[in-house]
Structures are given as structure tokens and as C-alpha cells.
Amino acid sequence: MRLRGYFTPIVQYARTLRAISPVAQQRFEGSTMFTDTSLGQQLSSQCRRSIPWQRATPLIFSQHQCSAFHHHSVARDLAGKRQELAHSIHTCRCLNQEMGTVEGTTQGRILKGKEYTCIQAELLEGGAIGLITLDRPKALNALSEALMKEVLDALQTYDADPQVGAIVITGKDKAFAAGADIKEMKDKRFVDAYASRFVFHWNSISAIRKPIIAAVNGYALGGGCELAMLCDIVLAGEKAMFGQPELNLGTIPGIGGTQRLIREVGKSRAMEMILTGKHFMDAEEAAQKGLVSRVVPGSNDALLAEAISVGKQIAQQSKPVVALAKECVNAAYEIGLQEGIKKEQSLFYATFALEDQKEGMQAFIEKRKPDFKHK
Ligand code: CAA
């Protein structure tokens, strides 16, 4: 098998890892996952020397690195577990094929020492963009409790990271997300759902202050559509399909679908989608109605690249001003016009307390780019 050819250098790489430094070795031996950049760089140069295909595609390395970290226990006993390691290499190669055209991205399941199993979370563009990829493609990214916990955790991690200027959420293969996990919730009784406040915590997404961009391709149904609507900007791929099919299952949308869809597409269309459980909305119509901001032609890679590019543009703005603007726009959703205008006015006044407002206006007058300090 072709992968076997790569295995020897991986063994060397793992051995090298142990030899790098006592700190590295300690971390390697322990259960802590690796997120150390300098360690990553050392590993990177080791791997590039020994594995030719990584030279051409740094993304493979980065995923490979994460896989290798993920398999730190494997490396302790490489000889006995070749199969698993080969599998992780194979996985990273497949991922790279999907993501290969997006320059400068890295992928991984470990974010700031936390390991995820249902999503990939990684920092891109020098830490300015936090990417979350929903990663249960076999179940069309059905939103299990575990997946949503990880999404929230990654969102909160990015929100707390001062380097991050915008967050991108995307799906995989043919689905953004096909809704809440039906298999997981089918046996719930009213009392279970009520007592555990089932799905309630999903609403914490609306408390995230950093802008969230959804890159939606394929199915965004039920909870998947609601997740997209919880984001601040939705970009759609050509194959995006939005719908609220909950009534087909004998239930109703539970994460704000009945409230948000009507605001996006109007009462009549929202009623048609929700009450029939059919009449999904394709990307073109979603753009016409304003459910998404626009359709990005081309592949999933092109969509993701565009979402990252929008994120970069936002990340260049003053972070506190972005947060104030997001709060104001979202207020329009939640409160009446007069209250909303009052809120906007007070936050508008608040921007005059920022150094970034002084810098932004001075830069305009001096015909130069503003140098925001985010304060
Ligand atoms: N939950 C759990 N598993 C799901 C799922 C979901 N929401 N959606 C798809 N899957 C699983 C399927 O069971 C199937 O698994 P198996 O291979 O183990 O059988 C796998 O994903 C692939 O799905 P299909 O074979 O059905 O794929 P398809 O291409 O034929 O159809 C689809 C695609 C039209 C999206 C179809 O899967 C579908 O209708 N899914 C359910 C959509 C839905 O009803 N979503 C609303 C969920 S309820 C909700 O979200 C409530 C809320 O507001 C909180």
C-alpha cells in the first residue's frame, strides 16, 4: 500500500519528537495534547526533510501533526499500532484533498489543548480567523449534543482570544448540518427535554461577541438552518439548501427557527417552509430573500476561501467597534425600532471613547490606512 512508504519517516518523526527537548518529551509522555507552536515548527522542519509530499502541501503537515498529536499514545508503541497511524495519515491526506486550495489554512482537532471529536477547530491567518468545521459527514453533520457542546466551546475559546477577529463555521461534503440528531433525541419524553433544557444552551451562540460567518453548502435543515441563522453573516455555496422539516418528524423548530426565519424571508414563505416541512429554499432564492448575503459560485473550497476573506476584512477593523456594531445590528432582531435606535445611539456615542475612532477618522483625513489598536 502506498501509505506504507510514508510510514518509516513517520516513525523517525515520532522518535525525533521524543528527542527534541525534555519539555517536549514530558508532554509527549503525558496526556497533554500538543499545541506548542515552536514545537510544531521543529516537527514541521523534521517532517519536511523526510516526507517530500509535505513540502508541496504544508496543509498535510499541519493535519498530520494534529493527527500525530492525537495519536501521541500510538507513538509510544509505534510498532504495534501501525494501522492506526497509517489511518490517521490517510485521513489527513483526504482532508488535504478537500481543503488543498485554501492557502495558509491549517486543520486540527485540538484547540488550545482541548481535543474535539465532532468538529475541527483551527486558527487561520496568523490567528485572526477561528475556523470551525462540523465533522460528522456520515450523519450529514447531524447536530448531536456532543457536537454542539464542542461548537460552543470552540466559539467561546475564539471569543476569548484577543487575536481572533472573526469566526467561520462550515460543514463538510454534502451538508452544513441536516438538523438536530434525530437518533439521539427520538426517545426523549417531554419531561426529559424540559428538565434538561434540551438545546437551550445553543442559544448561547447569540452571546458570542465576535462576528460569526456561516459558509453553507449542501443541506442546512432544521437545527442546521437555525444554526446558520444564529450566525451573523451567511454565505451560501451553489448547492446550499435551507429548510425547516421538523413537522415531518412530529415536532417544531426548537432553536429559534420559527422566530428567525420569519424575519429573514417573511411570514408567508416561513409558514410555507415550516408548516409543509417541505418546500426547501435553494441558494439563489435564499440570496433573493436575504436569508444569505450572497451565493459564492464554485466548490466548497471556493466558498470557504470567500468566508475566510470576509472574516479577514472584518478582522482588520477595530475589534471593539466591530463588537459594538454587531450588538447594535442584533438588537434590531430582539427589540422594537424605538428601543433599537436608542441602543444604537448610545453605542455610537460610546465609540467616541475609543482611540480607534480617533485613529480611524484621522487616517481618513490623512488619506492613509488606519492603524487600529483595538482600544
Ligand atoms: N439526525 C440524525 N441522523 C441523520 C440526520 C439527522 N438530522 N440527517 C441525516 N442523518 C443520517 C441518516 O440517518 C443517514 O444515516 P445512516 O447512513 O446511518 O442511515 C445518513 O445521515 C445519511 O442520510 P440519508 O441517507 O437520509 O441521506 P439522503 O441524501 O438520502 O437525504 C436528507 C438527505 C434529505 C437531508 C435526509 O437525511 C433528511 O431528511 N434528514 C433529516 C432532516 C431533518 O428532518 N432535520 C430536522 C431535524 S429535527 C431538528 O433539527 C429540531 C430542531 O429544530 C432542534
Side-chain angles (χ1 to χ4, degrees), residues 138-140 142 174 178 180-183 185 223 226 246 249 254-255:
K138 283 192 185 142
L140 302 184
K174 63 178 194 175
D181 191 319
I182 299 166
K183 292 170 190 167
M185 71 181 156
E226 291 167 306
E246 286 89 344
L249 303 167
I255 314 139

Side-chain angles (χ1 to χ4, degrees), residues 235 294 296 301-311 313:
L235 296 182
R294 61 198 156 90
V296 179
D301 285 352
L303 172 68
L304 182 56
E306 185 58 25
I308 291 167
S309 157
V310 171
Q313 289 165 45

Side-chain angles (χ1 to χ4, degrees), residues 136-144 174-175 177-185 198-199 202 219-226 243-249 251-257 277 280:
R136 295 185 72 206
K138 283 192 185 142
L140 302 184
N141 288 333
L143 304 169
S144 61
K174 63 178 194 175
D181 191 319
I182 299 166
K183 292 170 190 167
E184 196 177 77
M185 71 181 156
F198 178 49
V199 303
W202 294 29
Y219 295 113
L221 302 179
C225 186
E226 291 167 306
Q244 297 288 164
E246 286 89 344
L247 267 78
N248 299 333
L249 303 167
T251 186
I252 65 170
I255 314 139
F280 294 166

Side-chain angles (χ1 to χ4, degrees), residues 49 61 63 66 72 87 101 109 117 124 137 205 212 214 285 287 290 306 316 325 335 342 366 371:
R49 267 206 295 281
F61 171 69
Q63 176 61 31
C66 291
H72 65 290
H87 176 72
T101 58
R109 292 199 177 276
T117 56
L124 312 178
I205 294 176
I212 309 172
E285 189 191 350
E306 185 58 25
Q316 281 161 14
I335 51 186
K342 273 191 214 152
E366 292 171 11
D371 178 17

